[in-house]
Amino acid sequence: MSKEVLAGVRDLLPTFRDRADEAERLRQVPESSVKALEETGFFRMLQPKRFDGLESDPIDFFTAVKEIASADGSTGWISSVLGVHPWQVALFPDEAQQAVWGQDTATRLSSSYAPTGKAVLTEGGYTLSGKWSFSSGSAHASWVLLGGLVFNEEGNVVDFKTFLVPGDKYEIVDVWNVVGLRGTGSNDIVVKDVFIPEAFTLSMSDTGRCFGPGQEQNNSELYRMPFHSLFTTTISTPIVGMATGAYNEHVEMQQKRVRAAYLGEKASSDPFAAVRIAKAGSEIDAAWALLMNNIREEQAHVAKGEKIPLGLRLRVRRDQVLGTQRAIDAIDALFEASGGRALAEGTYLQRAWRDAHAGRVHAANDPERALKMFGDLEFGHKIDPGMY
């Protein structure tokens, strides 16, 4: 089925590109685009089969995301984050899974994982309150996954959890006025004293060790992959897709461009132009190859029933943050060499340049922390648990 989904996604790429200006104007990806993606089966790729999902290979999922982002960065971004959430819901207790998909297997979820909310232990669950920012695609979702610190009666932090909250229990606040990824609608989520049952929570300490209660029902290898490997790759992949789209447009533009300052020379005849695209193409290919190769290595350990080595998980993070940087470096080089026409509204290049730099500031793309953890392990130092 994944091949059919990929084929359907590729058929939609010209439409997504044509709607990119509309997405920026609306500050939301058009509902028609989300509906079209839904019809391809894209949002079901990482969803359990028992809820009409496909349980696709994550590589196929990331490939589809990269293709979508190569047509429009905002559409690729929300496709990636909305598309990965079914994987995490599959780790929740069965009661929560049934609540999300029992009546409608097309239910979508947005998220905001930074623990900016506060959860207080109550009988049978938690009372959750707070404000969360950057919930991409929230207008296209009817549930949200929120990060929160759990406090006991003494006011001490006892856990860090993800809370599953239905749409009638939270408010979306429209604050998304930005220069990049304008179409993602990454608005704020506000929750006020909402009771969340224990079954609608998932401890990050469990996901950190590749465990979730939902594995009892969803026992395929897909749901034994590391949370942070999949979710950080979810953030880098659209940026690699943007670089791919920028590369394609740059090459097309240079084949048509005549450089007046150089006596009418065709830009494509400039040997330096050829060198630039060779370097940019290599950076994009290297970013993608490392991202996917590392996921494949983790899958091989899972298939053998082996614990994934910490060194490999930290390598995933190393190559993920550097993959983002490689893609942005390629976009920068291509944009700078494209001439004044690349500045025009409506061109993919200027939008990719803005969108990629906007995506770069996501917490998952913070390079120093990820690189320090990898280096510390190589030197034999103790690793402080974090986003690995």
Side-chain angles (χ1 to χ4, degrees), residues 46-234:
L46 301 184
Q47 190 163 312
K49 288 181 178 179
R50 69 195 191 104
F51 292 112
D52 300 330
L54 302 176
E55 294 188 14
S56 300
D57 187 328
I59 302 295
D60 290 337
F61 171 74
F62 291 130
T63 299
V65 168
K66 182 167 75 81
E67 297 266 3
I68 297 166
S70 74
D72 175 50
S74 288
T75 305
W77 187 273
I78 73 154
S79 299
S80 196
V81 296
L82 295 180
V84 79
H85 292 147
W87 181 90
Q88 188 184 16
V89 174
L91 300 181
F92 275 77
D94 186 52
E95 181 182 342
Q97 297 177 55
Q98 295 291 346
V100 172
W101 292 313
Q103 299 299 316
D104 182 6
T105 57
T107 298
R108 292 186 296 271
L109 307 92
S110 67
S111 68
S112 182
Y113 290 102
T116 55
K118 179 179 180 180
V120 179
L121 283 165
T122 351
E123 185 177 354
Y126 309 84
T127 301
L128 182 68
S129 296
K131 183 174 75 173
W132 290 258
S133 297
F134 314 123
S135 188
S136 299
S138 50
H140 304 293
S142 54
W143 289 74
V144 68
L145 294 155
L146 299 174
L149 298 176
V150 178
F151 294 81
N152 61 17
E153 293 179 355
E154 289 73 40
N156 298 318
V157 176
V158 294
D159 204 350
F160 173 19
K161 288 201 165 202
T162 300
F163 296 86
L164 182 58
V165 187
D168 61 351
K169 302 295 185 183
Y170 63 88
E171 177 188 2
I172 300 173
V173 182
D174 187 351
V175 297
W176 195 242
N177 296 288
V178 292
V179 297
L181 292 175
R182 282 181 59 82
T184 62
S186 301
N187 286 307
D188 288 355
I189 302 291
V190 175
V191 174
K192 298 179 181 178
D193 296 324
V194 171
F195 174 71
I196 307 295
E198 178 68 39
F200 286 59
T201 73
L202 193 63
S203 175
M204 294 301 284
S205 63
D206 284 342
T207 53
R209 59 189 178 91
C210 302
F211 170 76
Q215 290 169 340
E216 184 176 344
Q217 296 82 32
N218 308 310
N219 56 14
S220 75
E221 294 172 4
L222 171 63
Y223 303 111
R224 298 202 299 274
M225 291 288 287
F227 171 89
H228 287 115
S229 294
L230 289 184
F231 274 65
T232 57
T233 303
T234 291

